[in-house]
Amino acid sequence: SQQGEEDPQALSIQEGENATMNCSYKTSINNLQWYRQNSGRGLVHLILIRSNEREKHSGRLRVTLDTSKKSSSLLITASRAADTASYFCAALSFQGAQKLVFGQGTRLTINP
Amino acid sequence: GAGVSQSPSNKVTEKGKDVELRCDPISGHTALYWYRQSLGQGLEFLIYFQGNSAPDKSGLPSDRFSAERTGGSVSTLTIQRTQQEDSAVYLCASISGVAANTGELFFGEGSRLTVL
């Protein structure tokens, strides 16, 4: 089963608005990471939050982690048309093999 | 190279043929992953190589799929007797040995496989 599950599956907002995407996971984790994928391209790492952190910022990105609820959120503030992409979370589990398991992603569309 | 390189970028083959997909990871990266992504879907884990350890093959969907990593660097994913459901983008990613259990993956641009 997928370790990371994003919600919503698709999100469409106006330029300048904030976009929030959520991710849930199932087992204890070492860290959780967010990636971005432009159409037809590979994934690019955005931000990593460790299991002992609760919030992390990078530019217009803010990530939160709630290990009690096994969930994370990615907030993109002041969205731009160039933010249009798919966003994936991936959790690195303590259990079993040390592999990153990705969710299905959130397809974000920023309308100009 | 500067990044993860995958080849071919596009491959069209006939059902029943074998295909080989190649991944050149970032120099010095000791861990390498293969994922499969069907159209509009998420990433499906296939196989994971970490240094000299036995690879984690738990994601390979059938015995038609195999992968190897020679000399701890270049990896080849082989699909035998391809089926139409094998059509997807195959993504390779690598990570440095120091950060293998904690850090970020660097992805290639993928190999798009179409089985007719």
Side-chain angles (χ1 to χ4, degrees):
Chain A
S1 60
Q2 292 292 340
Q3 176 70 309
E5 293 289 345
E6 292 89 349
D7 166 58
Q9 290 187 340
L11 178 63
S12 181
I13 61 174
Q14 293 301 119
E15 194 168 21
E17 294 180 341
N18 297 339
T20 300
M21 290 160 273
N22 302 299
C23 169
S24 60
Y25 57 92
K26 294 181 172 61
T27 65
S28 296
I29 61 170
N30 179 306
N31 66 61
L32 188 138
Q33 304 178 30
W34 285 89
Y35 288 78
R36 167 196 166 119
Q37 183 181 37
N38 288 347
S39 180
R41 306 297 298 274
L43 278 73
V44 175
H45 181 264
L46 293 176
I47 193 166
L48 179 154
I49 186 165
R50 302 187 188 282
S51 59
N52 61 352
E53 297 176 311
R54 292 296 168 258
E55 186 170 312
K56 201 163 183 180
H57 296 253
S58 176
R60 294 184 295 113
L61 304 180
R62 181 171 78 95
V63 170
T64 63
L65 180 65
D66 187 335
T67 53
S68 66
K69 296 181 179 178
K70 291 185 167 56
S71 67
S72 173
S73 68
L74 172 67
L75 169 68
I76 303 175
T77 60
S79 63
R80 305 167 182 169
D83 294 330
T84 295
S86 290
Y87 292 82
F88 295 87
C89 70
L92 183 65
S93 175
F94 273 121
Q95 300 169 1
Q98 295 295 299
K99 60 179 185 272
L100 274 177
V101 181
F102 287 80
Q104 296 297 306
T106 293
R107 286 181 293 283
L108 175 65
T109 303
I110 307 299
N111 302 302
Chain B
V4 177
S5 177
Q6 291 188 246
S7 62
S9 55
N10 280 285
K11 175 71 176 180
V12 180
T13 190
E14 293 180 347
K15 178 181 173 181
K17 296 288 179 74
D18 297 351
V19 297
E20 282 190 353
L21 306 176
R22 176 188 168 103
C23 173
D24 280 278
I26 292 173
S27 179
H29 280 194
T30 59
L32 185 148
Y33 296 75
W34 282 98
Y35 292 90
R36 177 169 72 173
Q37 186 176 33
S38 299
L39 186 63
Q41 300 298 309
L43 275 70
E44 175 188 5
F45 168 79
L46 297 178
I47 189 168
Y48 166 55
F49 296 91
Q50 166 62 302
N52 295 322
S53 302
D56 178 350
K57 304 180 181 180
S58 60
L60 294 179
S62 77
D63 59 8
R64 296 186 296 105
F65 287 73
S66 63
E68 62 178 21
R69 190 176 184 198
T70 55
S73 180
V74 172
S75 177
T76 302
L77 177 68
T78 300
I79 309 172
Q80 295 178 312
R81 305 181 301 282
T82 52
Q83 303 294 312
Q84 288 183 331
E85 60 263 28
D86 299 335
S87 296
V89 176
Y90 290 81
L91 290 162
C92 174
S94 70
I95 191 169
S96 71
V98 172
N101 290 338
T102 59
E104 65 178 275
L105 292 178
F106 293 83
F107 280 83
E109 294 298 315
S111 292
R112 182 178 298 278
L113 174 65
T114 302
V115 182
L116 302 177

